């Protein structure tokens, strides 16, 4: 892992921390992202290097995305790979995870100390009242991936139904 690969990230994080204060700054990392053939040969080492830099500044929180879901060999179901533990152990601030979590998995991640918080991006998009649905153990709306990132100001972002 070449630290020069993190130079731009470090420069941006330091500049934002200087402007707003590191104690008010959160950084999202996607070390395992593979969008548009954008991959790193050693994503764990790269992310750990950035996290070490963030710790030195006192960054408030680190929001990290799990790798893509993998198949459970026992029953064929999709499961979260849970590869963020090294980052959790390294980061000194609040650690937020994201990537395929449902209520049960999220509760377990926090209870087990794997994360301080869980972000529910797609679930929240499709369920604008997600905390209430979790409280009531209510059914969740399914998200429609075809409506993500569209120019339509209504479809997909504001048209999911609330609980009655």
């Amino acid at each position: 892992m070449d630290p020069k690969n993190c130079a731009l990230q470090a420069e941006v994080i330091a500049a934002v921390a200087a402007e707003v204060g590191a104690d008010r700054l959160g950084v999202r990392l996607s070390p395992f992202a593979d969008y548009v053939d954008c991959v790193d040969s050693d994503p764990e080492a790269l992310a750990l290097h950035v996290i070490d830099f963030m710790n030195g500044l006192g960054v408030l929180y680190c929001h990290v995305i799990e790798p893509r879901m993998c198949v459970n060999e026992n029953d064929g179901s999709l499961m979260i790979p849970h590869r963020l533990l090294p980052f959790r152990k390294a980061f000194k601030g609040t650690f937020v995870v994201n990537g395929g979590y449902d209520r049960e998995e999220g509760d377990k991640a926090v209870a087990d100390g794997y994360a301080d918080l869980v972000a529910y991006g797609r679930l929240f998009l499709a369920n604008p009242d997600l905390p209430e649905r979790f409280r009531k153990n209510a059914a969740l709306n399914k998200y429609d991936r075809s409506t993500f990132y569209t120019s339509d100001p209504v479809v997909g972002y504001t048209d999911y139904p609330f609980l009655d």
Side-chain angles (χ1 to χ4, degrees), residues 6-18 21-31 44-65 87-88 90-96:
C6 303
L8 179 61
Q9 286 175 306
E11 186 177 324
V12 170
I13 293 167
V16 174
D23 61 331
R24 297 176 63 199
L25 175 62
V27 176
R28 179 173 170 163
L29 301 176
S30 302
E44 188 171 310
L46 190 68
L48 287 169
H49 183 77
V50 173
I51 286 170
D52 185 54
F53 178 78
M54 290 165 45
N55 283 335
L57 294 175
V59 169
L60 176 64
Y61 75 85
C62 182
H63 177 177
V64 187
I65 310 305
F87 311 135
R88 165 63 161 158
F91 188 65
K92 295 182 172 122
T94 300
F95 192 72
V96 183

Side-chain angles (χ1 to χ4, degrees), residues 61-139:
Y61 75 85
C62 182
H63 177 177
V64 187
I65 310 305
E66 290 276 3
R68 297 263 182 217
M69 302 285 273
C70 58
V71 176
N72 183 331
E73 294 176 7
N74 296 325
D75 63 10
S77 65
L78 289 177
M79 60 184 233
I80 299 168
H82 296 289
R83 291 191 43 205
L84 306 183
L85 192 57
F87 311 135
R88 165 63 161 158
K89 289 180 175 180
F91 188 65
K92 295 182 172 122
T94 300
F95 192 72
V96 183
V97 296
N98 184 296
Y101 287 88
D102 59 17
R103 179 184 178 178
E104 183 180 333
E105 281 278 346
D107 286 349
K108 184 175 179 352
V110 172
D112 291 351
Y114 185 74
D116 295 307
L117 300 166
V118 177
Y120 297 97
R122 294 180 198 128
L123 286 183
F124 234 124
L125 177 67
N127 298 277
D129 53 359
L130 187 63
E132 185 67 15
R133 287 175 187 265
F134 278 0
R135 266 191 294 283
K136 291 182 174 180
N137 218 11

